[in-house]
Amino acid sequence: MADDGGNHRAGGAMNTFLDFEKPIAELEGKIKELRHLSDDGGINIVDEVTRLQTKAERLLRATYSKLTPWQKTLVARHPDRPHTSDYIDALFESFTPLAGDRKYAEDQAILGGLARFRGYSVMVLGHEKGADTEARVRHNFGMARPEGYRKVVRLMDLAERFSLPVISFIDTAGAYPGVGAEERGQAEAIARSTQKCLDLRVPLISAVIGEGGSGGAIALATANHVMMLENAIYSVISPEGCASILWRDPKHAEDAAESLKVTAQDLLRLGVIDEVVDEPVGGAHRDPGAVVDAVGKAVEGALRRLAALSAGEVRAQRRTRFLEMGRGQIGI
Amino acid sequence: MSWLTNFVRPKIRSLVERPQIPENLWAKCPACEQMIFHRDLETTQNVCPHCDHHMRVQPEVRFANLFDDGVYHTIELPKVAVDPLKFRDSKRYSDRLRDAQSKTGRTDAVIVAHGKIGGTPVVTLALDFAFMGGSMGLAVGEAMVAAAELATYQQAPLVVFPSSGGARMQEGILSLMQMPRTTIAVDMVREAGLPYLAVLTDPTTGGVTASFAMLGDITLAEPGAVIGFAGPRVIESTIRETLPDGFQKAEYLRDHGMVDMVVHRHEIRDRLITILDLLLHTQPSAEIVDLATAGLDIPDEAEAAADPEPAEEPEEQPAEK
Ligand SMILES: [Zn+2]
């Protein structure tokens, strides 16, 4: 199942190169050219292709083994990176989307519904950024309005009523900053969603698969177990936002990303997340199938551990997790 | 427990801690631009005597006017890791912290106090905007947890007075984590069956609004206070529209159903006393129960069950044209 989603998207993945991937893009371009030539035969061309492929792979591995926090930010936002809907399609059966907050509207920035995961009935939800222009607009680029967070609360209530574990995928630049969103209580909606996460008497497992943007992320990620992809980021403010406030210049985003400590590795060290899920060489967008599989395994592991806890224990574990977070000697 | 520390009468406190304001200084109201004598501002808690504009006020001034006879105790704030990320922008965060500490005379942007309001023991927490914009990091989060624990321990209501630009960016993800942590604090108070009230003051924005500030059982707001999640400039640059009049002001939030009431600073104490009385003293007091008639008119349970007919029959009324 995972392969379907993976292969489908892998083709498009090579179209978008990030700035720092330019040398790799050039090599891959050259390989493509030579391959066309190799149709005419010529053993030396085949050798050259093999040589360049090895070189490109080595370069890719070298580049991705030492990504800066800012480069990771770009990878985390890569348009071809698998999104929540890709994980749902590949990992969940009988996905039954549920819509609306029963108060005002349906917000497609957040997907959610009943599904079966490795035999368990679960509630799955997450921010959806969308894969193409039309979808991005429909999903508002994964930036939820109050209705999105209120839908989360409603679905969590439902999950709790039937003792279903909740699995959330985090991928948002943040809550939508708009007049209507403010008028309808964006802050209150986020606060209530976080409060609901904390109150849940069923396991809540969160995976930060791309961008974990501030309050819009924590509203779905106040979980028993939080995992992050190797190149995902999770931050109180976007590096650009931080740069324009503290450096008074968004061009300092790179410095801000560095200072803010936004990477999975930093957050693991700070005790904010529990697990880092490795990505394929060259990032999740180069082999979506593999990364979706890896996330599936990690979620299953966490779910099996948490399923052994009673309703009271699962709630207490979550509260203790956050209450103890940042206490004592902590630092990078 | 070492809660009962730092007992200082506020009058003495003001003598000790705020010698830097010369007596003859005049301030200009940012709203009406009239000049105000500094000493007048102290008696009005920084409310403009000309136009009623509510300026920001130090937590100590607020508390002196909030608690009975101006008497309250502050608690020692829990120690937290200092500059855990070794953050620096154009300046080191540790230096910014030190500057803010010497400017305000406190260790962080928060003060937790307890005392009596209208005779009722109450725990309060206030943020000080003068300390790095009242921003919420580990210290504020831990103070909120301590305030909730104290409230639970004393079986006292918790009243918070946020004034904050949001999260303390220099503490990165750890500042974001104070949103769930302060929410746990609110839950502790709620689970203890105690009132949790929020008085939103200027400004209450960002992560503070999207956590404990917006979770009050009852939410009051000061006139004109800016309250919101996203900053107006962020919104303007996103939607490229000018914002409506009064957008994100306390009155605007009230009209959109987001706060219960907008209350003048001088009336907050009385309003809190009324609310706490209603929430805490829920039964008729003994002396007004008429012993002669008490219990006589209560119908027997069997009798009530046998007579399901309502006294009136509104269903029978024809609808009016
Ligand atoms: Zn004035």
Side-chain angles (χ1 to χ4, degrees), chain A residues 31-49:
Chain A
I31 292 166
K32 219 184 223 172
E33 259 173 53
L34 284 173
R35 276 209 177 119
H36 282 296
L37 290 174
S38 74
D39 291 344
D40 310 334
I43 186 84
N44 50 342
I45 291 179
V46 176
D47 282 351
E48 180 66 2
V49 167

Side-chain angles (χ1 to χ4, degrees), chain B residues 28-34 36 47-53 55:
Chain B
K28 194 186 201 180
C29 171
C32 69
E33 304 204 324
Q34 295 230 51
I36 314 158
V47 175
C48 174
H50 308 292
C51 74
D52 243 7
H53 175 68
M55 291 170 240

Side-chain angles (χ1 to χ4, degrees), chain A:
Chain A
M1 266 184 304
D3 286 342
D4 285 346
N7 292 336
H8 177 70
R9 298 183 48 80
M14 294 305 111
N15 296 333
T16 316
F17 279 98
L18 301 168
D19 267 357
F20 67 87
E21 294 179 319
K22 245 179 204 154
I24 301 159
E26 277 164 18
L27 274 175
E28 286 185 0
K30 222 179 264 175
I31 292 166
K32 219 184 223 172
E33 259 173 53
L34 284 173
R35 276 209 177 119
H36 282 296
L37 290 174
S38 74
D39 291 344
D40 310 334
I43 186 84
N44 50 342
I45 291 179
V46 176
D47 282 351
E48 180 66 2
V49 167
T50 315
R51 195 184 67 80
L52 286 179
Q53 263 176 335
T54 314
K55 196 177 167 189
E57 248 166 63
R58 207 181 300 135
L59 187 59
L60 189 67
R61 197 175 292 274
T63 306
Y64 269 79
S65 67
K66 51 175 173 48
L67 292 181
T68 66
W70 174 246
Q71 288 170 333
K72 282 194 190 234
T73 304
L74 299 175
V75 175
R77 294 171 179 166
H78 198 291
D80 296 325
R81 202 175 164 82
H83 292 143
T84 293
S85 56
D86 298 308
Y87 288 88
I88 293 177
D89 288 350
L91 295 173
F92 295 79
E93 292 161 48
S94 310
F95 176 56
T96 306
L98 301 172
D101 66 349
R102 298 298 184 275
K103 291 178 166 77
Y104 181 80
E106 153 67 354
D107 184 351
Q108 294 201 46
I110 294 177
L111 296 179
L114 297 166
R116 191 165 295 283
F117 175 77
R118 313 280 155 109
Y120 295 93
S121 284
V122 299
M123 184 66 77
V124 58
L125 42 89
H127 311 92
E128 173 59 42
K129 283 189 171 179
D132 54 43
T133 308
E134 182 274 326
R136 281 183 198 117
V137 171
R138 183 157 38 91
H139 295 293
N140 199 32
F141 302 85
M143 295 191 286
R145 296 178 167 89
E147 298 73 58
Y149 303 109
R150 289 180 182 135
K151 175 166 76 174
V152 168
V153 173
R154 186 176 78 83
L155 298 191
M156 285 183 176
D157 281 338
L158 183 62
E160 209 165 21
R161 207 165 106 63
F162 294 95
S163 302
L164 311 179
V166 182
I167 298 163
S168 68
F169 293 100
I170 311 304
D171 194 13
T172 182
Y176 183 68
V179 171
E182 292 289 319
E183 286 174 346
R184 298 192 301 277
Q186 187 71 291
E188 195 260 359
I190 291 170
R192 295 283 173 205
S193 186
T194 310
Q195 189 176 40
K196 183 66 213 179
C197 287
L198 283 164
D199 201 44
L200 273 180
R201 299 173 72 82
V202 292
L204 170 57
I205 297 161
S206 295
V208 184
I209 56 173
E211 250 183 308
S214 195
I218 196 76
L220 279 70
T222 307
N224 294 91
H225 185 90
V226 182
M227 67 187 74
M228 251 176 106
L229 287 187
E230 186 185 347
N231 298 317
I233 62 157
Y234 192 3
S235 181
V236 65
I237 184 169
S238 72
E240 294 92 330
C242 179
S244 57
I245 296 170
L246 290 185
W247 279 264
R248 297 178 195 284
D249 182 1
K251 285 189 197 111
H252 279 278
E254 216 168 329
D255 300 320
E258 195 84 41
S259 294
L260 280 168
K261 303 282 183 283
V262 298
T263 71
Q265 297 71 26
D266 283 333
L267 267 59
L268 187 67
R269 229 167 299 159
L270 289 167
V272 170
I273 62 165
D274 305 286
E275 184 178 4
V276 178
V277 178
D278 287 342
E279 293 187 23
V281 175
H285 56 285
R286 279 194 168 72
D287 191 353
V291 79
V292 167
D293 269 353
V295 168
K297 282 203 188 75
V299 171
E300 184 181 355
L303 184 53
R304 288 198 188 284
R305 279 196 304 281
L306 290 165
L309 302 182
S310 71
E313 285 168 342
V314 85
R315 186 173 179 277
Q317 186 267 354
R318 195 183 307 114
R319 179 182 280 201
T320 307
R321 184 184 183 278
F322 282 90
L323 216 42
E324 291 306 318
M325 191 178 283
R327 278 186 174 160
Q329 278 308 309
I330 188 168
I332 290 288

